[in-house]
Amino acid sequence: MRVYLPLTLPALEAAHRAGRSGPESGAQTAYAVTPGLREWCGTEDSEELEYAALSCAAEASLRLLAAAPEAPRRRVVLAAEIPDAAVTPAPEETARLLGEVRVEGAVRMSQVAAVHADAEDAEQVVTTAAGAVTAADDGDEGAAATADRAGDRDLLWFATQEIPGLLS
């Protein structure tokens, strides 16, 4: 199953050095095409569904940036192929976004198909959006509109061999 793991650039650097993302035991949050996401999208087009799951992971990356003010202001998402048995849907009552799943154990960098990240010129938009996320979660409609502006920027695609260049 294709899953999308939200990260920050420092977390990508740590994963690249360690050869894995996430804990050896325990679960980490990711996003995938789930029945709920499929229903919300109202389509069976696999490309549209995968893009929706990627977008949810990008929003989760923005939330990680809001909690990590020292991290460069660029959203990062790993696209990885994980055995279906290692992926379970997040309980609906705790899921923050559609498509949220739990991946059991570490995701090896050898399982990563690609990295998606903001271009450097997106940093101002992402900085502003990350600053608005908490107020948006508290119901501030203006902050929600500001946070949503990051979603107007498409993430770039990078091959795994390009990670060192992305980190430099």
Side-chain angles (χ1 to χ4, degrees):
M1 166 182 285
R2 173 66 54 105
V3 300
Y4 298 92
L5 294 111
L7 298 176
T8 62
L9 282 173
L12 175 61
E13 183 173 17
H16 183 64
R17 270 197 323 269
R20 64 175 172 76
S21 174
E24 288 294 339
S25 62
Q28 60 184 309
T29 299
Y31 296 84
V33 176
T34 61
L37 183 70
R38 189 179 302 277
E39 182 180 330
W40 181 82
C41 287
T43 183
E44 289 300 316
D45 183 289
S46 61
E47 286 185 27
E48 286 183 41
L49 292 166
E50 292 293 332
Y51 184 78
L54 170 64
S55 297
C56 290
E59 184 176 336
S61 176
L62 183 66
R63 292 173 186 290
L64 293 174
L65 289 171
E70 73 290 346
R73 309 279 90 183
R74 292 170 69 189
R75 298 168 298 162
V76 177
V77 176
L78 294 182
E81 293 295 331
I82 306 297
D84 290 356
V87 181
T88 56
E92 284 186 31
E93 61 276 3
T94 62
R96 178 170 282 238
L97 299 168
L98 285 171
E100 189 171 312
V101 296
R102 302 285 183 258
V103 175
E104 189 60 39
V107 173
R108 305 274 172 232
M109 291 305 287
S110 61
Q111 295 172 292
V112 174
V115 178
H116 300 271
D118 279 310
E120 288 181 28
D121 68 356
E123 288 185 6
Q124 184 57 50
V125 170
V126 172
T127 297
T128 303
V133 166
T134 302
D137 288 345
D138 291 340
D140 182 323
E141 291 181 18
T146 299
D148 287 346
R149 286 191 194 110
D152 294 340
R153 303 285 308 234
D154 285 331
L155 300 179
L156 302 177
W157 181 94
F158 296 89
T160 56
Q161 301 89 326
E162 296 177 282
I163 293 173
L166 181 59
L167 296 172
S168 61

